[in-house]
C-alpha cells in the first residue's frame, strides 16, 4: 500500500500541516523530503532504510556524495536537494545577523553555530568578530583538523581581530564526536587566544563547543 492510500491522519505530509514539523519523527520528515520511493518500496520504507544504513539523521546529512548515492533510491538529484535544504535552513539565521542584529541573545548565537559548524564531520575552530555593540562583523574559520594549543595560533586570531577592527569575539569549535564536554586542550584553546586578545583590549565574550544540537558554553559554566 502506497502512502497515498493511508488514512489521512497517518500520512506524514498531512500530519506536518496539522501538527507542525516537530511532531514528526526523523523517518516521517525524511519521507516528506524524499517524496517518492522505488518500485515495491515506498518513500517511508526508503527513509527507514537510509536511516538504518547511516545510523542517524546527522550522519545521513553529512554523508559524502559517493556514500549517499550508494543507497538505491538516493542519487545525485536527492543529494543536491538535501544540501540545498540544509543551506536554506542556515542562511536565514546568518542573513538576520549580518543585517545588524545584536548577538546578545544566547539562542541566536547557538542557532548560528549549529547551522554553520555543528554538523561538520571534521574539527573546526571558528571566530565570530563583533563590534562594540556586539553586532556581527564577520565569522572566520581559522583552523581545521586536529585542534590543540600547538596549531591554533593566538597571533592569527589577534591579526584577524585587528583587521576587522573587532571590539569583541566569540570563540567556537565543534566536536564531531557528539560530546560537547571540554577537554584540557579545549581550556587551553580558551586561555591562550583570550590572553593575547586581552592585550589588544578585545574582549572574549564566550567560547562555545558545538556538538550537533548540544553546545557547551565556557561563560555559562564559569570557565572563563
Amino acid at each position: 500500500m502506497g502512502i497515498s492510500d493511508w488514512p489521512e491522519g497517518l500520512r506524514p505530509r498531512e500530519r506536518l500541516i496539522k501538527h507542525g514539523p516537530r511532531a514528526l519523527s526523523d523517518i516521517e520528515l525524511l519521507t516528506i523530503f524524499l517524496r517518492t520511493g522505488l518500485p515495491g518500496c515506498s518513500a517511508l520504507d526508503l527513509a527507514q532504510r537510509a536511516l538504518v544504513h547511516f545510523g542517524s539523521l546527522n550522519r545521513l546529512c553529512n554523508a559524502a556524495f559517493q556514500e549517499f548515492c550508494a543507497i538505491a533510491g538516493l542519487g545525485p538529484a536527492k543529494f543536491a536537494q538535501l544540501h540545498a535544504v540544509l543551506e536554506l535552513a542556515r542562511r536565514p539565521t546568518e542573513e538576520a545577523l549580518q543585517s545588524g542584529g545584536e548577538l546578545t541573545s544566547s539562542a541566536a548565537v547557538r542557532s548560528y553555530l549549529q547551522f554553520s559548524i555543528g554538523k561538520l564531520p571534521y574539527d573546526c575552530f571558528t571566530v565570530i568578530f563583533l563590534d562594540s555593540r556586539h553586532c556581527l562583523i564577520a565569522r572566520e574559520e581559522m583552523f581545521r583538523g586536529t585542534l590543540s594549543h600547538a596549531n591554533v595560533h593566538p597571533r592569527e586570531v589577534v591579526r584577524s581581530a585587528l583587521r576587522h577592527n573587532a571590539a569583541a569575539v566569540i570563540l567556537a569549535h565543534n566536536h564531531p564526536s557528539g560530546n560537547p564536554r571540554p577537554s584540557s586542550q579545549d581550556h587551553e584553546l580558551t586561555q591562550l587566544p583570550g590572553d593575547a586578545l586581552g592585550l589588544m583590549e578585545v574582549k572574549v565574550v564566550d567560547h562555545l563547543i558545538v556538538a550537533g544540537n548540544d553546545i557547551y558554553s565556557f561563560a555559562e559554566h564559569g570557565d572563563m
Side-chain angles (χ1 to χ4, degrees), residues 11-107:
R11 300 175 200 164
R13 184 170 59 188
E14 282 73 10
R15 277 179 29 79
L16 185 146
I17 293 171
K18 184 175 182 179
H19 301 292
R22 296 189 67 84
L24 273 64
S25 66
D26 290 349
I27 291 177
E28 289 176 307
L29 290 171
L30 189 57
T31 297
I32 294 173
F33 165 77
L34 292 172
R35 295 181 58 205
T36 59
L38 296 167
C41 175
S42 70
L44 187 138
D45 293 331
L46 179 56
Q48 188 169 20
R49 288 183 188 179
L51 285 175
V52 168
H53 175 85
F54 288 106
S56 70
L57 197 57
N58 181 38
R59 291 180 180 176
L60 186 153
C61 290
N62 286 291
F65 175 76
Q66 290 183 340
E67 184 182 9
F68 183 91
C69 295
I71 304 297
L74 305 181
K78 289 286 195 299
F79 182 87
Q81 289 169 11
L82 174 62
H83 285 271
V85 168
L86 294 173
E87 185 65 11
L88 282 171
R90 185 190 67 82
R91 289 195 184 187
T93 302
E94 185 172 16
E95 186 178 85
L97 294 174
Q98 289 178 338
S99 66
E102 293 184 26
L103 274 173
T104 54
S105 165
S106 174

Side-chain angles (χ1 to χ4, degrees), residues 80-149:
Q81 289 169 11
L82 174 62
H83 285 271
V85 168
L86 294 173
E87 185 65 11
L88 282 171
R90 185 190 67 82
R91 289 195 184 187
T93 302
E94 185 172 16
E95 186 178 85
L97 294 174
Q98 289 178 338
S99 66
E102 293 184 26
L103 274 173
T104 54
S105 165
S106 174
V109 177
R110 289 166 184 261
S111 177
Y112 184 61
L113 289 171
Q114 282 170 345
F115 280 119
S116 59
I117 68 172
K119 304 297 185 183
L120 294 177
Y122 55 83
D123 292 335
C124 169
F125 183 86
T126 190
V127 181
I128 297 175
F129 299 97
L130 310 172
D131 64 17
S132 58
R133 295 187 298 114
H134 286 190
C135 291
L136 177 69
I137 298 173
R139 180 183 73 85
E140 284 190 24
E141 180 183 304
M142 303 295 297
F143 307 97
R144 180 184 297 191
T146 303
L147 300 178
S148 72
H149 69 281

